[in-house]
Amino acid sequence: MELAEGGRAVRAARATLSTLGERTTEGAADDLASPLPMEVDRFLGEAGQRFGFDEIADRVAEREEVERSDAVYHAKVVLALVGR
């Protein structure tokens, strides 16, 4: 999986990681950010909110300004890269 355009990839990473940062605890967000490049780890935002998959998809779509189905795909790509 990949995102073709550099700008689109940055928007997808920012939207996904910002939302993920909101969903995790503060310690978990710090752990997630530690191996990431500084340019990327700063996308992780405030931690500790509780919401499910639908809200994650909606927030990513809104931040990225794309359709929900595209946001879900982009989030999968970003998270696969972070997992590596």
Side-chain angles (χ1 to χ4, degrees):
M1 291 192 278
E2 63 182 56
L3 297 173
E5 301 171 20
R8 176 176 272 176
V10 170
R11 283 192 308 275
R14 181 179 293 131
T16 300
L17 294 175
S18 295
T19 303
L20 183 62
E22 293 169 346
R23 176 64 175 84
T24 61
T25 63
E26 190 170 326
D30 291 341
D31 290 345
L32 178 63
S34 64
L36 297 175
M38 184 183 289
E39 298 83 14
V40 176
D41 75 359
R42 65 187 171 89
F43 295 152
L44 290 165
E46 295 184 29
Q49 299 179 35
R50 291 312 222 189
F51 47 86
F53 174 80
D54 288 333
E55 182 66 19
I56 291 170
D58 291 342
R59 288 183 186 204
V60 172
E62 182 178 325
R63 287 182 168 134
E64 198 179 344
E65 298 179 356
V66 297
E67 295 293 322
R68 190 173 189 271
S69 60
D70 291 334
V72 169
Y73 173 76
H74 297 163
K76 286 180 181 180
V77 172
V78 170
L79 294 176
L81 290 171
V82 169
R84 287 185 188 168

